[in-house]
Amino acid sequence: MWRNSFSQGKKRDSLQPVDESIIVYGTTWCGMTQLVRRYLERMEIPYRYLDIEEDTSAVNQLRWLTGGYTNHPTVVIDGQALIEPDLDELAEALGRTGYL
């Protein structure tokens, strides 16, 4: 994936490869996971999705991030984990880190 080019002086300034700066851990049946994914797509923010039911290494990564839990969705933004965020919390974190 590639970031779009914008002129706002934030992380989305230049065309560059995304190195998994945003990762969404979740499941296909979790409504909140799908809501988070649709929000990121609507905002044109690239992310990597890891299905914890299909990817055993993703489950292990998630447990390491959350102290042993598999809460979903968990969204990692530049190394900071948001566990089960609502859209307001997600938007605030994205704004703080320069994605919005």
Side-chain angles (χ1 to χ4, degrees), residues 24-98:
V24 177
Y25 295 88
T27 62
T28 57
W29 54 265
C30 173
M32 197 59 198
T33 297
Q34 300 314 313
L35 188 64
V36 164
R37 294 181 69 198
R38 282 193 304 271
Y39 177 80
L40 292 170
E41 289 165 6
R42 218 175 25 251
M43 301 306 289
E44 297 181 355
I45 298 173
Y47 69 94
R48 181 174 180 200
Y49 171 65
L50 296 174
D51 187 331
I52 61 173
E53 291 189 320
E54 300 292 324
D55 186 343
T56 56
S57 66
V59 173
N60 293 333
Q61 291 170 13
L62 180 58
R63 285 189 175 134
W64 184 83
L65 287 168
T66 62
Y69 299 101
T70 56
N71 300 56
H72 53 86
T74 294
V75 182
V76 178
I77 302 172
D78 292 342
Q80 300 290 325
L82 299 170
I83 300 170
E84 298 179 354
D86 61 31
L87 292 184
D88 290 336
E89 292 169 320
L90 180 60
E92 181 181 326
L94 291 167
R96 216 177 30 250
T97 54

